[in-house]
Amino acid sequence: MRPFSRLRPARTSLRWKIAALAAATACLVVAAVGVLVHLWTAHDVRDRAGAQAFNAVYSAVDVYRRTGTLADGAELDPDALPAALRHPADDARHTAYDGRVEGNLGPSVWAAQRTAGPGSPVLAVRVNLSPELHDLRRLDVTMALASLLALAAAAPLAVYGAGLVARRLQRVSETAGRISAGDLDARTGPTAGRDEVAEIAATVDRMADDLGRRLRTERRFTADVAHELRTPVGGLLAAVDLLPPGETEDLLRARVRDLRALVEDLLEISRLDAGAERPVRARVPLGAVVTEAVQRTGLGGTEVVVPGASPRAGAGAGRMDAEAVAAPDTEGTVDDVETAGTVDDVETAGTVETDPRRLERIVGNLVVNAHRHGAGPVRVTVEGRTVVVRDHGPGFPPDLLRHGPRRFHTGSAERGPGHGLGLTIALGQARLLGADLRLDNAPDGGAVATLRLPG
């Protein structure tokens, strides 16, 4: 079952979204800086090692040519010399990178040069990069730890900063929700800052002011019209009583009674809108109140099911069939309901603390709506603190399920005639009682209205 109005979907706080975005951005920046520093440092280490080897082989060749001895670190035709340096085509100096690692030796940068022209031995000098690369790894670890510490320090600041924005937006959202629920005096008020959030808050307040003026004007108009119509409608009823009996008198009487009911509905809506109604609570048997409310509608073909009521022999448990003993224009009584359990059984099935008159009004409107706009059979089920009214007609139109009941709007042509006030009154009375009224369509067709009374 879903409410006639949209439920708020599960959401993630904007604060955490902003904080996560800030953290992700910081991680990307740290990773990019770390990679760039690593690559630049590694390239610099190789360049410096190459220059060192280049200068060392120059000195070693000079010493060898003058004295015939090898300087420290210099070798002639070493076995580990990379293939690219074994047979140089000239007597110029050459360098090459050797990525092999043997224990603590390597990777390395080699520099080589022939000692005396083509065919002469190759003198080579090797520069070990292991210490520099070890330092590079230590630099990487240091940067990673520093980045984690910076991220740990920045994350709370991001959460705090995002929380400031989120709280301001939440305040605006709460104000809009209160306005949507009918509190026309709700306002966000002045907010700190002169940014987009402050502009949104000011716009919501201006919208609330304009909406409040329009709704108050509409409510005053409805109340004034309904009040002014009471006297002439009462006069019409008195005048109808003076007509001679006949078809014309019956037709006029029915139409005048419809008009009187419309006026009373408008007055009731105006009182609900103005907040002038106050519930008078009492502990009453829910099954009995619902049964009597169904009977008072004067509509036959309504099945009332109260699972807690004990059945008579040969009858279904707690099932009552509200047959139309009384005419539609007369009020029925509990005696008009043919019950499978006794009235005492229904009364002891479960009690609730509520306003019985308003509860009868809600149930009666739902039953009348089911008969007028739906199709039989109409079933009213009472279970615990829940009352479910189900018909087998075309169901509630999608527009009504999305936006809720609206006065003078029945939703669709196939739902038949009506002023669209019954569900509006039922919803207003349910709110007054603190109850939850939900409207939905059954999977196999038909409208379902579920009333849940507070505990």
Side-chain angles (χ1 to χ4, degrees):
M1 302 289 289
R2 65 180 179 182
F4 60 84
S5 59
R6 291 179 178 175
L7 286 174
R8 288 185 176 181
R11 64 184 183 182
T12 304
S13 174
L14 181 62
R15 171 190 301 181
W16 298 110
K17 289 182 179 179
I18 296 176
L21 180 61
T25 303
C27 289
L28 290 176
V29 171
V30 166
V33 171
V35 170
L36 290 175
V37 170
H38 176 87
L39 293 177
W40 182 87
T41 304
H43 187 268
D44 182 68
V45 166
R46 290 182 59 175
D47 285 348
R48 287 188 288 108
Q52 180 183 351
F54 195 82
N55 294 331
V57 78
Y58 174 80
S59 299
V61 168
D62 183 64
V63 170
Y64 183 80
R65 287 176 178 175
R66 286 187 295 103
T67 65
T69 60
L70 294 174
D72 292 339
E75 301 177 71
L76 288 175
D77 294 325
D79 295 336
L81 188 64
L85 300 179
R86 288 185 179 274
H87 305 287
D90 52 25
D91 59 352
R93 285 168 288 174
H94 300 276
T95 60
Y97 175 77
D98 184 6
R100 291 175 296 176
V101 178
E102 299 174 359
N104 292 328
L105 187 61
S108 307
V109 174
W110 290 84
Q113 183 180 6
R114 290 193 181 276
T115 57
S120 61
V122 176
L123 188 146
V125 175
R126 182 179 191 179
V127 177
N128 185 19
L129 297 181
S130 179
E132 286 77 5
L133 294 181
H134 177 71
D135 292 340
L136 177 59
R137 287 191 291 269
R138 291 181 58 186
L139 176 63
D140 291 341
V141 173
T142 302
M143 288 196 61
L145 292 176
S147 300
L148 290 177
L149 291 176
L151 184 60
L157 295 177
V159 172
Y160 175 76
L164 296 179
V165 177
R167 281 192 292 270
R168 295 167 63 196
L169 289 175
Q170 180 66 26
R171 183 179 174 186
V172 176
S173 175
E174 290 174 353
T175 301
R178 289 169 57 192
I179 296 172
S180 176
D183 184 4
L184 300 182
D185 296 324
R187 296 295 184 274
T188 304
T191 59
R194 302 178 63 182
D195 51 12
E196 289 82 355
V197 179
E199 184 177 352
I200 292 175
T203 302
V204 169
D205 286 349
R206 288 195 299 270
M207 178 197 68
D209 291 337
D210 185 62
L211 180 62
R213 285 193 296 269
R214 294 184 182 184
L215 288 179
R216 289 187 180 93
T217 300
E218 178 185 335
R219 289 174 179 178
R220 284 196 299 268
F221 175 77
T222 301
D224 293 345
V225 169
H227 181 76
E228 294 299 328
L229 285 177
R230 294 190 72 181
T231 300
V233 169
L236 285 175
L237 279 174
V240 169
D241 291 336
L242 300 178
L243 294 176
E247 182 178 353
T248 301
E249 188 264 349
D250 293 340
L251 180 61
L252 287 176
R253 185 182 298 276
R255 294 297 179 265
V256 172
R257 285 183 175 176
D258 290 342
L259 181 58
R260 183 180 66 176
L262 175 59
V263 171
E264 295 298 332
D265 287 347
L266 290 175
L267 284 173
E268 184 173 358
I269 289 176
S270 66
R271 290 194 298 270
L272 290 172
D273 288 342
E277 296 288 311
R278 294 291 183 272
V280 180
R281 301 184 184 276
R283 184 159 291 279
V284 294
L286 181 58
V289 173
V290 170
T291 302
E292 185 171 356
V294 172
Q295 181 58 44
R296 285 182 182 277
T297 63
L299 299 172
T302 303
E303 182 183 13
V304 182
V305 179
V306 185
S310 59
R312 290 196 303 234
R319 176 172 296 180
M320 289 145 275
D321 189 16
E323 296 294 343
V325 178
D329 290 335
T330 63
E331 291 186 349
T333 65
V334 178
D335 295 333
D336 295 328
V337 180
E338 181 183 346
T339 65
T342 64
V343 173
D344 290 338
D345 293 333
V346 175
E347 291 179 349
T348 58
T351 60
V352 295
E353 185 173 352
T354 187
D355 187 328
R357 181 180 67 85
R358 300 184 190 280
L359 178 59
E360 287 186 11
R361 179 66 161 154
I362 297 171
V363 174
N365 281 14
L366 295 178
V367 171
V368 170
N369 183 82
H371 280 280
R372 179 176 296 172
H373 303 295
V378 175
R379 170 176 291 189
V380 181
T381 305
V382 180
E383 185 171 358
R385 297 178 176 274
T386 303
V387 181
V388 180
V389 180
R390 161 78 190 277
D391 66 52
H392 292 78
F396 293 115
D399 183 66
L400 186 145
L401 295 178
R402 284 193 301 268
H403 305 292
R406 290 177 287 175
R407 60 196 70 178
F408 302 109
H409 185 78
T410 58
S412 59
E414 61 269 17
R415 288 184 57 81
H419 302 104
L421 300 180
L423 291 180
T424 303
I425 293 174
L427 177 61
Q429 295 288 8
R431 288 175 176 169
L432 189 64
L433 295 179
D436 181 26
L437 178 59
R438 295 171 177 258
L439 308 179
D440 204 357
N441 291 328
D444 56 345
V448 180
T450 303
L451 177 69
R452 291 186 176 89
L453 296 174

